[in-house]
Amino acid sequence: MGHKEITKKQFDFLKNEFNYLEEGGIISEQEKEKMLDSYAVKGNMSFVTILLSIGALLLGLGVLTFVASNWIYLDKVVKFLLIIACLIGVNVAGVKWQLRYPKTARSLHYVGILIFGAGIFLIEQMFNIVINFNSSFLLWAIGTVFICYYLKDVFILLFTSFLLFIYINGSIFLDETSYPLAIIVFLPALYILLKKFNYPKYPAFFINALAINTIALFLMEFVPKLDLENSNTIVLSILFVLGILLAFIPVTPGLRNVIHIQGHILHGITALFLTFEFSIWFPLAYFVFLLYLILKGSLTSIVIICALIFRYYLDSFDFLPKSLTFIIGGIMLIGFGFFFENQRKKGGHLHE
């Protein structure tokens, strides 16, 4: 039987309960220790981990600023060898210390990631290699995704997503059409890593956001080329439908909450913009839809209704006293609060 991983808080709770049973004579000390031994505490961000991570960041920045300040005095060959030596040195040390000092080894790999990224930019400068800045971030992301797979590290996965955000959004400023590369290669790879890591919440949120961001840029790039009227409305409408689909799509339990909330956020934001494009029927229909979601227990929909009220509050200056808008909004929120409290008393539950 393997050790089940639980959080430190859960482990402390179990330990207190087993101590209580031991004091009551229900279980012996040996039985308590045997049961506790069935669990293992997950690798939380302990003080040592935080200390080593900050140390890794400072060490990486220190090395980089030292090299940068003396960069012009060094020969090209020395520069190149220095980058390679630092990169290999910290990663080899990390691999060697992996078993004996796993947290220290991990911090060395973090330093390696920073040196790898800085090395890309410095080598480009050194050999006058002219590529777009976003391509440099893509190369950096390629390196980190392999280290992420090797270490099974959630934070490196988050950092990889951040690098890809810069890469993809930088493409639009450079008028590039390289979005398929991110869609075809990276997103499936990131979702495979998510599955291997058992769908951690924050990386799942960022990777989904990256996928939505990629789709939005893809639509913004290619829909105007179809020479259709109101291309902006078409893009917003497609994203609005996508948001509704995401809010209801059946997915694995590990991803369900994250994807559903992001779906609500997406259709909420796009609906606010679409209220400027369509007549009053759209906001009214959407408002009814939001009420339906609230009846189903969606707390996110209350936030969207507040945003919708605020959007019309800004337009109400000439024909509706602003105080009346506040009164209507306040009554609605109190009504929602009463509804949810009543649901809880009846044993209902909220799904967000």
Side-chain angles (χ1 to χ4, degrees):
M1 181 178 173
H3 298 280
K4 184 179 180 181
E5 286 198 343
I6 57 176
T7 63
K8 188 174 184 307
K9 188 177 178 182
Q10 291 171 326
F11 185 82
D12 289 341
F13 173 78
L14 285 177
K15 191 175 180 181
N16 288 333
E17 290 300 309
F18 292 158
N19 285 336
Y20 170 73
L21 294 175
E22 183 191 2
E23 289 169 5
I26 299 173
I27 60 174
S28 65
E29 184 180 356
Q30 290 77 17
E31 288 173 326
K32 182 191 80 173
E33 294 300 330
K34 188 178 179 182
M35 287 190 285
L36 281 176
D37 193 47
S38 304
Y39 299 93
V41 178
K42 285 182 183 175
N44 288 336
M45 283 290 286
S46 64
F47 175 73
V48 174
T49 305
I50 294 171
L51 199 66
L52 287 169
S53 300
I54 295 173
L57 181 65
L58 293 177
L59 176 61
L61 291 176
V63 171
L64 295 177
T65 52
F66 174 78
V67 172
S69 62
N70 294 280
W71 195 246
I72 57 174
Y73 305 111
L74 299 175
D75 185 72
K76 279 186 179 180
V77 177
V78 175
K79 294 173 183 175
F80 183 75
L81 291 177
L82 189 61
I83 294 168
I84 299 299
C86 288
L87 186 61
I88 294 175
V90 293
N91 281 301
V92 169
V95 171
K96 283 192 73 173
W97 287 0
Q98 186 67 41
L99 293 178
R100 195 170 179 185
Y101 305 106
K103 293 177 180 175
T104 304
R106 193 160 293 246
S107 68
L108 288 173
H109 287 300
Y110 292 163
V111 175
I113 288 172
L114 289 177
I115 292 175
F116 176 67
I120 291 171
F121 291 100
L122 291 174
I123 288 173
E124 286 172 12
Q125 183 190 45
M126 189 167 56
F127 294 105
N128 296 319
I129 301 171
V130 182
I131 60 173
N132 292 329
F133 78 94
N134 64 322
S135 299
S136 304
F137 281 95
L138 176 63
L139 291 174
W140 196 353
I142 291 171
T144 58
V145 82
F146 285 110
I147 297 175
C148 174
Y149 179 77
Y150 168 70
L151 295 176
K152 295 181 174 51
D153 190 300
V154 170
F155 297 104
I156 299 178
L157 186 59
L158 272 175
F159 185 65
T160 306
S161 306
F162 171 72
L163 294 177
L164 290 173
F165 263 113
I166 298 175
Y167 157 66
I168 293 173
N169 288 289
S171 301
I172 200 167
F173 294 107
L174 298 169
D175 197 25
E176 288 186 351
T177 54
S178 53
Y179 312 118
L181 184 62
I183 294 170
I184 296 170
V185 178
F186 263 105
L187 287 176
L190 293 179
Y191 279 110
I192 290 170
L193 286 176
L194 261 186
K195 186 178 179 182
K196 282 188 176 295
F197 296 173
N198 200 24
Y199 303 109
K201 189 164 52 176
Y202 295 116
F205 184 90
F206 276 99
I207 291 171
N208 284 336
L210 179 66
I212 293 170
N213 186 186
T214 305
I215 293 170
L217 290 179
F218 184 85
L219 292 171
M220 290 166 63
E221 175 73 26
F222 290 103
V223 170
K225 292 180 180 177
L226 299 176
D227 291 329
L228 299 171
E229 288 186 7
N230 302 321
S231 58
N232 289 336
T233 307
I234 294 172
V235 171
L236 284 171
S237 301
I238 294 173
L239 292 175
F240 174 73
V241 173
L242 176 64
I244 292 177
L245 290 176
L246 289 177
F248 293 98
I249 190 171
V251 289
T252 180
L255 280 174
R256 187 180 300 148
N257 272 350
V258 171
I259 286 186
H260 287 183
I261 288 175
Q262 285 180 314
H264 287 308
I265 293 172
L266 181 61
H267 73 66
I269 292 174
T270 50
L272 286 176
F273 284 102
L274 286 172
T275 56
F276 294 98
E277 304 290 333
F278 295 125
S279 59
I280 194 66
W281 66 265
F282 175 77
L284 286 176
Y286 185 62
F287 183 76
V288 173
F289 174 65
L290 291 176
L291 290 179
Y292 164 76
L293 293 179
I294 291 171
L295 291 176
K296 293 289 183 184
S298 170
L299 295 178
T300 311
S301 299
I302 295 179
V303 179
I304 300 172
I305 282 185
C306 291
L308 202 60
I309 291 171
F310 184 70
R311 174 254 183 274
Y312 281 98
Y313 163 79
L314 295 177
D315 281 353
S316 66
F317 184 78
D318 293 332
F319 59 87
L320 185 70
K322 291 185 183 298
S323 57
L324 183 58
T325 311
F326 281 121
I327 292 170
I328 294 172
I331 291 172
M332 288 176 61
L333 292 180
I334 291 171
F336 292 145
F338 171 77
F339 169 77
F340 284 125
E341 186 178 14
N342 192 41
Q343 286 292 99
R344 280 180 173 160
K345 281 187 176 179
K346 291 178 180 176
H349 67 279
L350 308 177
H351 61 74
E352 292 169 16

